[in-house]
Amino acid sequence: MALQAAILLFSIFLILLVIGVPISISIGISAIVTSFLVVPPEVALFTITQKMVNGISSFSLLAVPLFVLSGNIMNNGGIAKKLVNFAQVIGGRIPGSLAHTNVLGNMLFGSLSGSAVAACAAIGGTMAPLEKEEGYDPSFSAAVNIASSATGMLIPPSGVLILYSLVAGGVSISALFIAGYIPGILMGLAVMIVAYVKAKKNKYPVLPKVSFKEAMKVFLDAIPSLLLIVIVIGGIVFGAFTATEGAAVAVAYTFILSLIYRNLTLASMKQIVLKTAVTTGVIMFLVASSSAMSWVMAYTGIPQAISELILSVSSNKVVILLIMNMTLLVVGTFMDLTPAVLIFTPIFLPIATQLGLHPVHFGIVLVFNLCIGIMTPPVGSVLFVGCSVAGVPIEKVIKPLLAFFAALILVLMLLTYIPEISLVLPRLFDLI
């Protein structure tokens, strides 16, 4: 039954995706049709409806729309420019200074907003004209921006890690958040190393030296924005509040900060709330549909069948992890990060735990894999946004992106086979 169900489920899902049906609807329809194979239609429809409702009935899940709202307020609140100025001070004396500023800006803004697309648009939109003026190749600038935008999906707060926690069966959100710091920073450093080599080769300029007084002014300007990380993540990790309460604090803090900066109006706030509502609706329907698919897969034994199939290929842990990574990298090229986490966590997590991987370690590896996917064609959301803000055709960005992909895959292999990179901080804070 598992084989028949798997073939039917994934065939319908892929066919619907190919003909252009939205991914959440594709997931729901494929789950409903497959459920008819194993239970009577009236029972299937009742159970799937129940699973969809239960899938979004979670207090922890409230953190996602709140972090989305916080990120949208930041996009319109003048915070991005202050972070770019701060990043310029940090990376200003390295060859290819503006490229490094872009990377650091994405790491800072992405960690505050929790959105790769928002970071790519906000920081890339600010940096692209500056880099063009300084003689940077627009394709190279776009590649740097695209390759570093996803750092915020690992550096907390991250909505994707919250979703993984829920699908994985209550893995500690605090542990996942703190575990994402080193991998996220490594992702940024990998991009900076490649950018440094390219900048030296092409003799890209170094920014003029900034006086200590000017640097301190920029730093003091950025402190209110940077404090958001300290307040929210510190509060969550040390137990002052839950992830959901931390998200509410983030909304209140960014709202007050934007009012102080005088970059928020009643009209813009209305648009921010509307945009947040639309994004939340999409995410919640996706989570609900994925909950239905997860139930169908569990009921028909698909995860167990896939686990047995992979384990039958080899008993070598190194080989099995390599197969899982390769699968996720391919999946990431045609599926967005959120649905991929929701669908593949219940399939691969049992295999990972059977191999002795900690669920927190596996979650970081899974998200890192899929972060690479959102930079790649044919459906990479960050790829399209990055090319759009830089005004560069996609085909011209692919070649300079290859070196960044190679560096990121090397970091992925290190994360996969050296668990302590992800687990050292959660253990240090006694979270696992």
Side-chain angles (χ1 to χ4, degrees):
M1 180 190 289
L3 178 61
Q4 292 173 309
I7 292 171
L8 183 62
L9 181 72
F10 292 116
S11 296
I12 295 171
F13 176 60
L14 291 173
I15 290 168
L16 291 172
L17 279 184
V18 169
I19 63 176
V21 177
I23 191 164
S24 53
I25 296 174
S26 301
I27 291 170
I29 291 174
S30 58
I32 290 168
V33 173
T34 306
S35 67
F36 291 164
L37 180 70
V38 290
V39 293
E42 62 275 12
V43 176
L45 290 173
F46 173 80
T47 306
I48 280 180
T49 304
Q50 186 183 53
K51 294 297 178 184
M52 290 179 74
V53 172
N54 290 340
I56 57 174
S57 297
S58 167
F59 177 73
S60 297
L61 198 55
L62 279 173
V64 176
L66 288 171
F67 277 129
V68 171
L69 177 57
S70 172
N72 286 337
I73 293 172
M74 285 183 59
N75 285 350
N76 293 271
I79 295 172
K81 182 62 179 173
K82 294 182 185 299
L83 293 177
V84 166
N85 292 339
F86 179 60
Q88 278 185 325
V89 171
I90 298 173
R93 303 304 298 160
I94 309 172
S97 305
L98 291 178
H100 300 300
T101 299
N102 196 330
V103 177
L104 293 167
N106 275 332
M107 291 171 72
L108 290 168
F109 190 83
S111 67
L112 293 172
S113 69
S115 169
V117 171
C120 188
I123 304 300
T126 303
M127 295 304 304
L130 299 175
E131 289 175 279
K132 193 173 182 180
E133 283 179 20
E134 293 292 331
Y136 286 68
D137 179 358
S139 299
F140 167 74
S141 301
V144 171
N145 185 39
I146 291 163
S148 60
S149 294
T151 51
M153 308 305 288
L154 287 160
I155 301 174
S158 168
V160 175
L161 290 176
I162 294 171
L163 291 176
Y164 169 79
S165 168
L166 295 172
V167 181
V171 177
S172 168
I173 294 175
S174 298
L176 286 167
F177 274 8
I178 204 76
Y181 272 110
I182 294 177
I185 291 168
L186 287 176
M187 178 184 276
L189 286 175
V191 175
M192 289 179 74
I193 289 169
V194 176
Y196 174 82
V197 172
K198 295 274 187 181
K200 288 283 283 186
K201 181 180 177 183
N202 294 309
K203 295 183 171 59
Y204 288 136
V206 175
L207 288 174
K209 190 174 181 179
V210 179
S211 69
F212 178 76
K213 185 179 178 181
E214 289 173 318
M216 284 305 297
K217 184 178 182 301
V218 169
F219 174 65
L220 291 172
D221 248 5
I223 281 179
S225 303
L226 298 173
L227 273 176
L228 178 63
I229 302 174
V230 178
I231 294 168
V232 174
I233 303 305
I236 293 171
V237 169
F238 291 106
F241 37 70
T242 64
T244 303
E245 291 162 349
V249 170
V251 171
Y253 188 90
T254 50
F255 178 72
I256 293 168
L257 197 58
S258 297
L259 288 178
I260 293 170
Y261 290 156
R262 298 183 181 180
N263 288 316
L264 208 60
T265 63
L266 187 62
S268 65
M269 196 61 206
K270 184 179 176 182
Q271 288 302 312
I272 288 168
V273 172
L274 181 61
K275 185 179 178 181
T276 301
V278 171
T279 304
T280 299
V282 171
I283 293 171
M284 291 304 170
F285 187 54
L286 193 52
V287 172
S289 299
S290 299
S291 298
M293 180 180 271
S294 296
W295 171 76
V296 171
M297 289 194 298
Y299 191 85
T300 54
I302 291 174
Q304 292 89 335
I306 293 175
S307 176
E308 289 171 8
L309 177 63
I310 292 176
L311 292 172
S312 69
V313 173
S314 173
S315 58
N316 189 309
K317 181 178 177 179
V318 173
V319 174
I320 295 170
L321 289 174
L322 186 61
I323 292 171
M324 290 167 64
N325 276 328
M326 290 172 64
T327 304
L328 290 168
L329 286 170
V330 172
V331 165
T333 63
F334 66 85
M335 189 180 293
D336 203 19
L337 199 150
T338 300
V341 167
L342 294 170
I343 292 170
F344 286 90
T345 296
I347 293 174
F348 284 148
L349 182 57
I351 304 173
T353 51
Q354 192 172 339
L355 292 172
L357 269 69
H358 194 285
V360 169
H361 172 215
F362 175 73
I364 298 300
V365 171
L366 173 76
V367 172
F368 198 105
N369 262 295
L370 298 172
C371 281
I372 297 174
I374 62 175
M375 310 170 193
T376 58
V379 295
S381 53
V382 168
L383 175 66
F384 294 123
V385 172
C387 290
S388 176
V389 296
V392 179
I394 290 175
E395 56 270 19
K396 287 191 176 179
V397 177
I398 299 301
K399 186 177 178 181
L401 265 176
L402 293 176
F404 294 106
F405 287 153
L408 293 177
I409 289 171
L410 176 61
V411 175
L412 172 62
M413 292 298 108
L414 291 174
L415 291 178
T416 302
Y417 296 112
I418 308 176
E420 284 306 307
I421 295 175
S422 302
L423 300 179
V424 62
L425 288 181
R427 287 201 172 115
L428 185 65
F429 286 91
D430 202 24
L431 295 171
I432 58 173

